[in-house]
Amino acid sequence: MNQVQKLLIIGFVWPEPNSSAAGGRMMQLISLFKAQGFNVTFASPAQNSDFMVDLQEYEVDKKSIELNNSSFDFFIKELNPSVVLFDRFMMEEQFGWRVAENCPDALRLLDTEDLHCLRLARQKAFKENRLFKTTDLFVEEIAKREIASILRCDLSLMISEFEMELLESVFKIDPSLLYYLPFLLEPIDGAQMQELPTFEEREGFVFIGNFLHEPNWNAVQYLKDTIWPLIKKSLPEAVLNVYGAYPSQKVLQLHNKKESFLIMGRAIDAQEVVQEALVVLAPLRFGAGIKGKLLEAMQCGTPSVTTSIGSESMHGYLPWNGFITNDIADFVDRAVQLYQGKTIWLKAQQNGLEIINQRYSKGLFESDFRTKIEFLCSNLQQHRLNNFMGSILQHHTLKSTKYMSRWIEEKNK
């Protein structure tokens, strides 16, 4: 790739790395493409927010776009990007046909974040008090939309190996359309570990997570009603600080000083509050993807207690940086053990370091990703010929979505 390549990212929202793992992930992708020499433009139909990152600081052009408006067609034709990255399938649904029509030679990438259909099907099973089965996915309307989007794109970036296997085995997606690219972190060395607060310098438990995300809100309710009262019985002096962006009135009402269950709202510096705690609690009962809060715990040298959903696809065959359990009594016991036992705590901290360095170090992925993008850009026609189902969907979607969008555009006039 000799000439300057242009990347257009079509964002569901403007990136907020301090509010959610998704925002952090997006900034990692921008950094990855910038390192490959791409000029990056970030476009979104979302409203500006108080907590969005200043894209200009990262030498990224910012562009507001409108849904169902042909002004986008003129914009993308003029920009003429070589690669377009859709941030979640909803953006591909809205803009994918316009990209295909106006820049047919642009490589179309989808960043799935997590499988929305998996998260929603698990949530439904949980609410109906039954076990989730993979066949539940077939009745989710969102699964049909999400899988269609994956098939229409040239490559989907996946952060979870479990979800890749699910797409291949349950939905029969061709592996050539999927690419494993987890969170990309700087490796941690011994000197950096020495700078972290020691066991003795820390206190309390912490939960952190964006409250617009239903699994987080559910986990906080679970902590308040079930888990925290039991931990408090064993550790009367312990405090739980609950941090998260966008807390609703319902969340704020859980604040209870007498029970040492403290709703702290948005953390100004998430790493700082996690570093000050002895243990991260993450009793997630449904969800998908990999959990930014648990990777952040490892980066901060803070052991965690979580569930099988929380740890899914995160640690491979390496031991967890704390404990994984779905049993309430065991969850409480493990939390107390980590809180009181320095030896077990230090071992858990070391495990977290190994997971970061062996599974998320960005150096493990940069070169292979560059090669993959270069190969696809050079062999796009053949790659698309091999994806016949995708071309069928592209053909029909172009017709149906296009005319629906044109109709809305006329109506809006």
Side-chain angles (χ1 to χ4, degrees):
M1 292 191 186
N2 298 327
Q3 77 219 62
V4 173
Q5 300 272 66
K6 291 184 196 166
L7 167 71
L8 170 64
I9 300 172
I10 303 179
F12 181 61
V13 291
W14 301 106
E16 290 187 25
N18 294 328
S19 301
S20 70
R25 157 75 164 183
M26 182 49 72
M27 296 314 293
Q28 291 164 10
L29 290 176
I30 288 171
S31 157
L32 199 59
F33 277 100
K34 294 284 290 178
Q36 288 189 24
F38 277 83
N39 284 350
V40 181
T41 300
F42 194 104
S44 177
Q47 298 290 314
N48 285 352
S49 83
D50 294 339
F51 302 101
M52 61 193 268
V53 81
D54 181 0
L55 289 165
Q56 282 180 317
E57 270 185 35
Y58 297 86
E59 298 179 336
V60 172
D61 293 328
K62 177 179 180 286
K63 170 77 178 170
S64 287
I65 51 177
E66 286 183 53
L67 299 170
N68 306 307
N69 193 314
S70 50
S71 59
F72 179 84
D73 303 345
F74 300 110
F75 157 65
I76 195 170
K77 259 186 191 156
E78 193 180 336
L79 184 68
N80 193 25
S82 32
V83 181
V84 176
L85 173 69
F86 301 102
D87 167 28
R88 290 166 260 207
F89 79 91
M90 299 81 88
M91 290 296 95
E92 189 280 333
E93 279 185 332
Q94 289 286 349
F95 294 98
W97 67 272
R98 291 185 184 273
V99 172
E101 199 169 69
N102 292 292
C103 293
D105 298 330
L107 177 68
R108 296 189 296 269
L109 304 178
L110 172 65
D111 187 39
T112 55
E113 292 291 352
D114 61 14
L115 271 187
H116 293 62
C117 61
L118 175 63
R119 173 158 45 85
L120 292 172
R122 280 175 166 168
Q123 186 172 330
K124 194 182 283 181
F126 171 78
K127 297 252 162 95
E128 291 169 4
N129 199 22
R130 59 180 177 80
L131 287 173
F132 162 77
K133 310 182 297 297
T134 52
T135 49
D136 293 343
L137 293 166
F138 295 134
V139 296
E140 282 295 321
E141 188 211 335
I142 219 154
K144 299 174 180 72
R145 291 169 54 198
E146 196 165 17
I147 298 306
S149 186
I150 287 168
L151 285 166
R152 283 191 299 263
C153 287
D154 300 311
L155 195 69
S156 288
L157 309 180
M158 307 296 301
I159 59 172
S160 159
E161 293 151 315
F162 172 80
E163 290 174 16
M164 282 184 73
E165 286 161 19
L166 191 78
L167 288 172
E168 290 172 27
S169 61
V170 176
F171 293 107
K172 311 300 180 202
I173 302 286
D174 191 302
S176 69
L177 300 177
L178 306 174
Y179 187 82
Y180 176 60
L181 192 70
F183 289 121
L184 306 166
L185 307 177
E186 295 292 344
I188 301 170
D189 60 30
Q192 288 165 288
M193 289 298 279
Q194 295 299 315
E195 288 170 22
L196 293 170
T198 63
F199 179 82
E200 291 78 14
E201 288 167 343
R202 298 170 181 245
E203 58 182 12
F205 293 89
V206 71
F207 173 90
I208 192 161
N210 185 324
F211 287 112
L212 296 178
H213 195 53
E214 185 68 26
N216 288 336
W217 163 232
N218 180 271
V220 169
Q221 289 173 293
Y222 188 32
L223 278 167
K224 177 77 167 70
D225 299 338
T226 308
I227 292 171
W228 184 245
L230 296 171
I231 291 176
K232 196 75 178 138
K233 228 178 242 180
S234 296
L235 302 167
E237 80 295 345
V239 173
L240 172 59
N241 291 311
V242 176
Y243 288 91
Y246 303 107
S248 65
Q249 201 49 44
K250 280 191 302 187
V251 177
L252 297 171
Q253 281 171 353
L254 297 182
H255 183 84
N256 189 319
K257 213 165 177 182
K258 206 169 89 190
E259 294 171 9
S260 308
F261 191 94
L262 309 179
I263 305 292
M264 308 298 285
R266 178 186 288 273
I268 295 163
D269 183 337
Q271 292 226 333
E272 192 178 304
V273 301
V274 176
Q275 275 184 27
E276 287 169 355
L278 266 166
V279 182
V280 166
L281 301 177
L284 298 158
R285 294 188 283 186
F286 52 84
I290 56 177
K291 313 303 176 292
K293 64 173 72 50
L294 293 171
L295 271 185
E296 189 166 59
M298 295 176 203
Q299 287 177 296
C300 295
T302 312
S304 63
V305 188
T306 190
T307 57
S308 53
I309 291 277
S311 65
E312 181 177 272
S313 246
M314 286 193 65
H315 60 117
Y317 297 106
L318 298 170
W320 188 249
N321 79 317
F323 296 103
I324 301 162
T325 175
N326 298 323
D327 178 78
I328 295 167
D330 192 40
F331 193 101
V332 170
D333 288 347
R334 298 303 196 179
V336 172
Q337 275 178 39
L338 280 171
Y339 192 84
Q340 292 182 321
K342 184 176 177 179
T343 308
I344 200 168
W345 187 92
L346 287 169
K347 179 74 184 95
Q349 186 185 62
Q350 187 59 35
N351 291 346
L353 170 75
E354 298 295 327
I355 293 169
I356 295 277
N357 289 346
Q358 292 188 40
R359 286 183 60 82
Y360 298 98
S361 176
K362 70 177 185 182
L364 299 171
F365 300 97
E366 282 171 318
S367 166
D368 189 61
F369 184 64
R370 177 194 292 264
T371 305
K372 183 74 176 177
I373 297 300
E374 286 177 356
F375 175 79
L376 286 176
C377 286
S378 306
N379 298 276
L380 195 51
Q381 204 178 348
Q382 186 57 50
H383 180 74
R384 286 180 179 167
L385 283 174
N386 296 342
N387 178 19
F388 187 64
M389 287 305 292
S391 59
I392 290 173
L393 282 166
Q394 192 65 261
H395 171 81
H396 288 288
T397 307
L398 204 62
K399 301 286 183 282
S400 58
T401 317
K402 175 180 176 175
Y403 291 112
M404 171 60 88
S405 185
R406 292 276 189 239
W407 178 77
I408 293 170
E409 190 175 351
E410 284 304 312
K411 194 165 157 280
N412 288 344
K413 283 178 186 170

